[in-house]
Amino acid sequence: MVKSESPVSGPALVHRRGSLRGRLVALKGMRLSVGRDQGNDVVVDSPVVSTRHALIFLDEEGGRGWLLRDLDSKNGTYLNGREVLEHQLEDGDVIRLCRNGPEFVFAATGSIDYMNDSTVTFNPADFTDPGREGAQERGVKGVCRTLGRELERSSRRSTRAILFSAAAVCAALLLAGWYFAGGPVRMAGSLASRPAVELDLGPIYSSLFHSYREKGIGEVRVRNTTSRTLQAARVEFTLEGEGRGYLVEDLRFELPELAPGEIWTKRLNPLLSRKVVTERSLEVTAAVRLEAGQELLASANRAITIYDYHVFNWQDPSKVAVFVDSNDAAVKAFVDSAWGHRPGVSRYEFPPAQMVTAVTLLSALNGHKIGYKPDARTPVSVSEGAETSDRVNYPGETLLRRSGDCDDIVVLCCSVLEAADIPTAVVVGSSHVIMMFDSGLSSIPASAGEVPGNLFSEESWVAHKGRLWIPVEATELARPGGGFTAAWAAAWRYKKQIESGELPVIEIREGWKRYKPLHPPPPADVLAKIRQGSLWRQEGLAAAAEAALRVVKTFAGENLQAAVNELKRSCDGLELAQRSSLLYTQAGFYREATALLEQAVFDGKVPPDAGAVRSWGGKVTFDLAILLTDLALAVTLSSSSVAELERAVEYYRLALGGLPDELPEKSECMLRLGLVQKMRGDLKAYRKWVDQAIEREPRLREKLDRLERGDGRVASTAPDRQLLDYLRSRMAAIRL
C-alpha cells in the first residue's frame, strides 16, 4: 500500500475517492502502474479494480507528455467521465478506475491542493440502498441532504466558493438522474464505435526460440465492429515487463482496408533474442495496439509464460530434437575418449563399422555408470494431452550428473551416436521413450534366396526406410548388470508398434530441420570437468565392446547356420560348400567363409601360408577352381596386411589352372588377380595380368577405365578402397 506523502513540486496523483482518499503520490519515475495486485506502484484495494488496471507514463519519444493507458481492465478506465484506452493527461484531469470506482486527480504540479474544502465529491452509490423506496427518489433525497450540508458548511466561505459547490452538486444531480433513469450507455465516439483487437497466444518455450521465427507464437485478430470502413490502421505487438528486450524488434503490420464486419488475422512470427533463453520460468505481458495515425483505436494485453530452457511439450514430438546436441562439449569429449577403444574391423566385415562404433559408444555409456532417476514432476506423457509439458536435461548435463530419466538418457545416447555420424531416432510411447540407430545394413537382402531375409531374428530389428535399425531400451544402459545386448533385447517388444506406425518415430536429423539444437553454453565448472576427461575413461571398455560384438555376431551367425542347415537338405559336397560360403560372404562373414572354403578345397589340410599354397600339389578341377576364386575374394575383402593379399594371389593362380581358356570366368579371374597385385604394390604384375585379361575379353577395358579414374595411388599396406568396392560389387556375379 502506498503511504501518504507531503505535497511535492513535480507531477503527482491525488487520491480523491476510495480507500486512499486524501493521499498524494509523486510521479518520481517515468512509469506508474495502478491496480489491485501488490506488484503495482499504486495498490488500490477495491473489487472493481483489476489486477493490473492502468498505467501512467511519460511519452518521451512521442513528445506527448504524460499519458494514461488502460491495461485491458475488466471495468474500464475513465478520464473526466469518458472511458478511454489511452489519452494525454492535463493538469486537473479526473481519473476513475471503473465508472464509479476509486478516483484520482492528475496534478501537473504536486504542490497544488486538490483536496481543499471547496471540492465536492459525489458518488451515486453512496445514496443508493436497495430498500423500500425507489432508487431514483432515494438518490434525489440523498443529493438534497448533501446539498443542504454543503450550503451550511459553506456559509463561512466566500460567495464564489458557495456558487462553485452548488454548481458541482447540480451537475452531480443531473448525472444521478441520467444514471438512475437508464443506466450507463455507450456514447457516440466511445468504445462501441471502435474496432476490437484480440490476442491468441500460447506459452513460449525458450528451448524452441530458434523456431518461432518460422512457426510463430500465436496470432492477432482485428474485428471491424463499426459501421464504417477501417482505413490506414496499423497493429503493433510488444512484450512488456520482464519481457522487454526479448524481441529483437517489435512486430508492426499495416492493415488493409476492412469493411464493417470483416476480420483481419495475422500470424505472429517474432525474431526472439538470446535473452529469452532463461534458467527460470517467468510471466511477461504481451501487448498489442491498434492505431490510426496518432489515435489509439483499441488495445489488448495478456500474461504469457516463458518456460525455462529445459521445458518443452509433446504436442509435436519432433521438438525433442532441440535437446539432442552432437556439438555439446561434454559429448564431444566423451566420444573422443571412447573412440580409441573401438575393436578393429575390416571395411566389409560383419558387423559393419557403423554398428561397431555404436556398440562401443553405448557400452562406454554403460561403463560410465549413469543411474536411472525418474522425473516425478513431469513424466513423459502424450496421452494426457498435447500441451503436457516435460522437463529434459541436455546431454552434457546428464553425462556429468550421471543420472536422468528415460528421455534424458535417450537424448544422451542419440547425441553421442550423432557425434559419431550415426543416424538415430527417438521412439515416443504413451509414458516412455526409447531410441534406435541405423545399423549400416540394408533391410532388404541383396537378392532373394541368397541371404536369409536378415542376419538377425525377425523380432530384433526394425525396418525403416529400407534400412535395418537397431532398437535400444536406453534405461537398460543405466541399470546394474545392464549393457548393450540387454538394452537391445529389452526393446524388441516395440518392433510391431514401431513398424505399424502406432509409435511415432522421430528421426533426429529430420527433427533438426524443423527445430535447431539449442546448444546452451556450459557453465565454467562444467568446462573444467570436461577438460579432465578422466571422468569417463573406463578400464575394460574395449573388452566390454568386444564382448557385446561377439554376442551380435553369434546371434547373426546362428541365423546363417540355420540357413546352411536348410541347404544341407538339397545339396552336399562342393556344391554345399560353395553355396554355404556364398551366404557367409554376402553377409560379411568373410573369415568364416574363408575357413569353410579352405576346409572344402584342401580337404581339411589347409596350407599354413602363401608359400605352402604355391607348393600344394593337388589337382584343380573346374568345380574346385570356382571355389578357389570365391576363396580368393573372401580373403581379399577381409585382408588387413600384405601377407594376406599374397595368400589371395596364390589362390587366384591355382584357380587359373583349373579354368578352361574358352570360358569368360578365366578372363575375369585374371583381372581380379591383377587388381590384387596392384593392392600389393606390384605394378608390373598388375599390368601383366590386366593386359592379358583385356586381350582375351575386350569388354573388360571399360571396367578397368572406371577404376583408373581415381587418384591412382597404390595401397602398399592395406587394400585400395576403390578396388575393394569393385570386387565387392562382383559378388553378385558369383554363380551358385
Side-chain angles (χ1 to χ4, degrees), residues 310-325:
H310 287 99
V311 179
F312 87 118
N313 67 63
W314 292 97
Q315 185 177 17
D316 179 0
S318 299
K319 295 174 181 177
V320 76
V322 303
F323 298 96
V324 180
D325 189 359

Side-chain angles (χ1 to χ4, degrees), residues 25 34 64 66 74 89 108 133 136-137 225 251 350 389 391 395 429 454 467 552 633 710 728 730:
V25 180
V34 184
R64 294 181 293 170
W66 288 93
K74 182 179 180 180
L89 291 173
E133 299 181 67
Q136 184 176 0
E137 181 182 356
T225 57
L251 296 179
F350 181 87
S389 294
R391 182 175 182 84
N454 265 286
R467 306 291 295 172
V552 172
L633 178 60
R728 182 72 172 85
R730 299 304 299 160

Side-chain angles (χ1 to χ4, degrees), residues 280-301:
R280 63 178 181 89
S281 298
L282 53 96
E283 190 175 272
V284 303
T285 299
V288 63
R289 295 161 52 87
L290 175 64
E291 299 175 328
Q294 298 296 317
E295 182 183 2
L296 175 66
L297 301 179
S299 68
N301 64 74

Side-chain angles (χ1 to χ4, degrees), residues 193-234:
S193 62
R194 297 176 182 264
V197 62
E198 302 170 357
L199 271 176
D200 184 8
L201 301 174
I204 293 177
Y205 295 87
S206 62
S207 60
L208 307 174
F209 91 101
H210 284 302
S211 65
Y212 286 119
R213 185 65 169 178
E214 176 184 354
K215 301 186 178 302
I217 62 173
E219 61 183 27
V220 59
R221 289 185 296 275
V222 175
R223 301 174 185 270
N224 188 0
T225 57
T226 72
S227 58
R228 296 181 297 179
T229 300
L230 181 62
Q231 299 177 323
R234 65 182 181 275

Side-chain angles (χ1 to χ4, degrees), residues 53 68-79 81-87 98-99 185-197 223-228 230 290 295-300:
H53 199 108
L68 170 67
R69 177 185 296 174
D70 181 76
L71 297 179
D72 199 23
S73 64
K74 182 179 180 180
N75 295 315
T77 301
Y78 292 78
L79 184 67
R82 183 176 178 179
E83 186 174 6
V84 296
L85 295 175
E86 185 174 290
H87 203 280
C98 181
R99 182 180 301 276
V185 297
R186 299 284 187 184
M187 297 177 290
S190 67
L191 292 179
S193 62
R194 297 176 182 264
V197 62
R223 301 174 185 270
N224 188 0
T225 57
T226 72
S227 58
R228 296 181 297 179
L230 181 62
L290 175 64
E295 182 183 2
L296 175 66
L297 301 179
S299 68

Side-chain angles (χ1 to χ4, degrees), residues 656 658-667 670 696-697:
L656 287 172
L659 294 172
D661 290 341
E662 67 272 13
L663 293 181
E665 283 86 348
K666 191 161 187 173
S667 301
M670 288 179 177
R696 291 172 56 86
E697 193 68 48

Side-chain angles (χ1 to χ4, degrees), residues 635-666:
V635 171
T636 303
L637 292 172
S638 64
S639 61
S640 57
S641 67
V642 174
E644 290 181 319
L645 288 175
E646 290 177 353
R647 195 178 186 92
V649 167
E650 297 305 323
Y651 288 150
Y652 276 125
R653 283 175 174 168
L654 283 177
L656 287 172
L659 294 172
D661 290 341
E662 67 272 13
L663 293 181
E665 283 86 348
K666 191 161 187 173

